[in-house]
Amino acid sequence: MKKIKLRVNGVWRELIVDSETVLLDLLREDLRLTGAKQSCDRKGQCGACTVVVNGKAVRSCLTRVADLEGADIITIEGLGTPDNPHLIQEAFVLAGAIQCGFCTPGLIMATKALLDANPDPTMEEIKQALRRNLCRCTGYKKIIEAVQLAGRFIRGEVSPEEVRPGPDQGTMGVSHPRPSALAKACGTAYFTADYKIKGALELAVLHSTVPHARIVAVDSSQAQAMPGVAGVLTAADIKGTNILKFIVADRPVLCKDKVRYIGDPILAVAAETREQAEAALKHVKVKLEPLPVIDSPEASLAEYALRIHEDIPNLCYDQPQIKGDAEAALRQSAAVVEARFKTQINHQAPLEPEATLAYWEKGDTEGDDQLVIIGRSISIHHHLAMLQSALGWENMRYIEAFSGGQFGIKIDIISEGIAGAAAIHFKRPVRYIPSLAESMLMTSKRHPFDMRVKLAADQEGNLTAYCNDFLVDNGAYYSIGHVVIYRSLLMLSGSYNIPNVAARGRLLYTNNPWGSAARGAGPPQTNFALECAMDMLADKLGMDPFDFRLRNSLKPGQNKSTGRVVQEWPFPDLMEAMRPHYQRAVKEAAAFRSDKTKRGVGLGTGAFGIGNPGDASIAAAELDPDGGVSVYAAAADPGEGNDSMLTQLTAEFMRIPLDRVRLHTRDTGNTAASGPAAGSRITYMLGSALLRALEQLKAAMEETGARTSTELDAAGKPKRYVGRKKNEDAGPLDPKTGQGPSFESQVHAVQMVELEVDMETGKVKILKMTTAVDAGPVIHPQNLTGQLEGGMDMGVGFALREQYVAGTTKDWLTFKFPTIQDNFDMEIIIQETPRPKGPLGATGVGEMCLVPTAPAVINAIKNATGVWICELPATPEKIKAALAAGG
Ligand code: FES
Ligand code: FES
């Protein structure tokens, strides 16, 4: 122990500390300054914990407090507050650099240290200063712009007032600061792990280290007797079904007799502190009897393969799609290409690790106590119902905390079940804050696809037929399972008119990590195959891939692979908008000369469906006493900007100031089920439902002349109105032909990648990406471009680097998380064709931004080098091997 004195945010403090305590723990646990976050298990990889010590940016997870005698420490809370923010905090808000906001405090503190030393840094100096701060949402472009804007503020060249949009600029199409941005910039927005609950038990969970085994015996007697331990929770202690059923009842909260993948949770030790729980966990003995491991869809399909779930076949979904006669068309076509494409298991990689709190809210009588779960669900009502059934406890509520990104991972839940079960069993509040390694281990992943493809065209270059027979590795549990295949088939023909289609999607259980939603959920995989095949076929026909795509665009009146005729298809205009950029890029690449490096240009396109067949949403709007409007809708905003959308739509429609719109979106207690914040659906579906509620409210106000809730009340009218939106084109695809209903709306995109390949090392450097997108009238330009930039960055990671290997991928280094130094030039072209059924004409964009990216990258690599990489990710090793093999 050592007595030291240090200053935190201007206040001198005397402390007695041991030699091990790190600054992050002092700040978060002792001083309750939770603005500094932790993502990387204190390995120094994420920068979310960055604070300024003696003028320098330091990672507080690596800084021992004992070494800080006399130090001057500034945290995000010491920089400014929402009432009086620092110029850097204002700059991050106004530049649109804050999406989920988990990385934001660390980035702002790193910026503070940089600008104090150098108020006018170059791009390279910014990248150098922020090289240790990770962000998954933004693609870093707006972060760089925020640092530049902060520099301008500090140098007095411009003021926040001059940059901030004023009320006279209107609401639609204006980048008003997001409702939560300032709180995130000032470290006052609470993420799940930021809450501390007095008397809460902490959990340590045992996960399977093998992919398939029978649980033969569990001996926790030694652990039970260890200091601070309240007990050990097993499946036998869970009173409900113990099954977290999303669609199929197959995934246990805690495994009872079998483990089915590396990471399956077996039991939880509950103790007074996390250290005690972790120490005790080491003394639990579990005997596992290995079972044969099914490690691929082929193995799962084998005739005598062991069933992973006794009562469900390994082939758990099989859906064909037949339009026209593809076989006959292939025979008659002038050119046919054939290839096999594979995509990898990938982690969605939100920066915030999994975390859940469960506590009891006192009822009138003891039996009325309500179990409250705080987590980062994007579908709070559905997840609440899953928990009620799994845990056998009805009186429960779910509250969504601010969440550090999700990208599909939170369409399903894990830690909520374990924390909730422990809270019920021990009748205590519980905090379950898993490490990053543990979070990676237990969460769902992007499904790997194995696709055998044929694409054909006639002499003139008109597409004639497309076949795609694809196997999808679903891993150990179903989760959203067939939805991924269904979505892939609904969008199978992409942007094009393909008269004959023969496809089949099969979903197979294996002992790999379980698949679920991951930004795009299916179409990024199938579109990779289609868009690469488009380039292969253009090559074979001797056509330019740009002209070939444009020629084959679907047109209004023609139909998609589902047979549904489209009414609007603004894709050709997008291609025309891209044309001059493409011509410039091709010219520059042709003029580039180097023996060592080759330059290439690649295209990818996509038409992404929004508003599933039969999808429905609901929202309520209520007039407030001051004439403002409260919006009630269960609409998570893990970073996309849903809060902005709801606020600006309401303000625009009701002609009220933005600060009179009050959102209630995070609690099952005061909202109805509006559907998940997934599938890019919130703007289109929930925005439409909200407008219908507002229309009724406005009509009542106009009829009565009321301006406030009191006046409406006096006029005998309700102050609250409910709006609903439902896609009338409903029902499943035909099980034999895959023909049937489709999405109500589409967002269209064309992406172009310019890159260089080092012919010796196989390393790829992205020089620039250009995205042209049509998502209808833009509500918030910064949020739109922010989604596109983040999506491009994520799509490049999917194409070139990222892969999840169970047991090996344990942190952000092994995952190959993109840093600011991977950032590349990005340009965005926006086209705004109004959608007849969208809210004020708008539709969504959150996933489209990476649907064309991987094929655009792979097509550009082929353009540069002449070799095809048909299995993602296109690592330097694969490119080198392909070059050595001569393509
Ligand atoms: S928590 Fe300190 S760098 Fe990640
Ligand atoms: S805004 Fe950076 S991780 Fe989400």
Side-chain angles (χ1 to χ4, degrees), residues 22-35:
V22 293
L23 180 56
L24 180 63
D25 288 333
L26 175 77
L27 296 172
R28 286 184 61 85
E29 302 301 325
D30 300 337
L31 304 182
R32 300 294 301 138
L33 296 169
T34 54

Side-chain angles (χ1 to χ4, degrees), residues 142 173 175 570 573-575 577-578 581 747-750 770-789 792 827-833 835 845:
K142 289 192 178 5
S175 299
D573 294 337
L574 266 190
M575 288 293 287
M578 181 64 86
H581 300 265
V747 50
H748 298 267
V750 185
T770 308
T771 294
V773 70
D774 189 330
V778 178
I779 298 170
H780 190 293
Q782 270 180 357
N783 287 357
L784 177 88
T785 54
Q787 286 297 296
L788 296 170
E789 289 156 7
M792 287 187 238
E827 186 170 347
I828 289 168
I829 302 158
I830 293 173
Q831 183 174 291
E832 302 182 75
T833 309
R835 304 304 196 270
V845 78

Side-chain angles (χ1 to χ4, degrees), residues 24 37-40 42 44-49 59 61:
L24 180 63
K37 310 295 182 204
Q38 100 77 28
S39 163
C40 65
R42 297 164 155 71
Q45 297 173 355
C46 73
C49 64
R59 285 161 289 170
C61 69

Side-chain angles (χ1 to χ4, degrees), residues 11-66:
V11 179
W12 282 103
R13 294 174 182 271
E14 291 195 24
L15 310 161
I16 297 170
V17 292
D18 60 30
S19 58
E20 298 304 316
T21 302
V22 293
L23 180 56
L24 180 63
D25 288 333
L26 175 77
L27 296 172
R28 286 184 61 85
E29 302 301 325
D30 300 337
L31 304 182
R32 300 294 301 138
L33 296 169
T34 54
K37 310 295 182 204
Q38 100 77 28
S39 163
C40 65
D41 296 343
R42 297 164 155 71
K43 288 184 176 172
Q45 297 173 355
C46 73
C49 64
T50 303
V51 298
V52 174
V53 176
N54 297 331
K56 298 226 169 345
V58 304
R59 285 161 289 170
S60 61
C61 69
L62 301 179
T63 309
R64 292 185 327 141
V65 181

Side-chain angles (χ1 to χ4, degrees), residues 97-104 107 134-138 143 351 405:
I98 303 172
Q99 291 189 27
C100 80
F102 195 79
C103 64
T104 304
L107 277 157
L134 301 183
C135 174
R136 185 61 163 170
C137 303
T138 62
I143 288 170
L351 210 53

Side-chain angles (χ1 to χ4, degrees), residues 39 97 127 162 254 259 277 345 368 395 401 404 432 461 475 543 546 664 717 783 816:
S39 163
K127 287 188 175 182
E162 292 168 85
L254 292 172
V259 291
I345 300 178
D368 282 352
N395 189 7
Y432 178 29
M543 288 183 74
F546 184 97
H664 306 270
K717 288 275 182 191
N783 287 357
K816 300 192 180 126

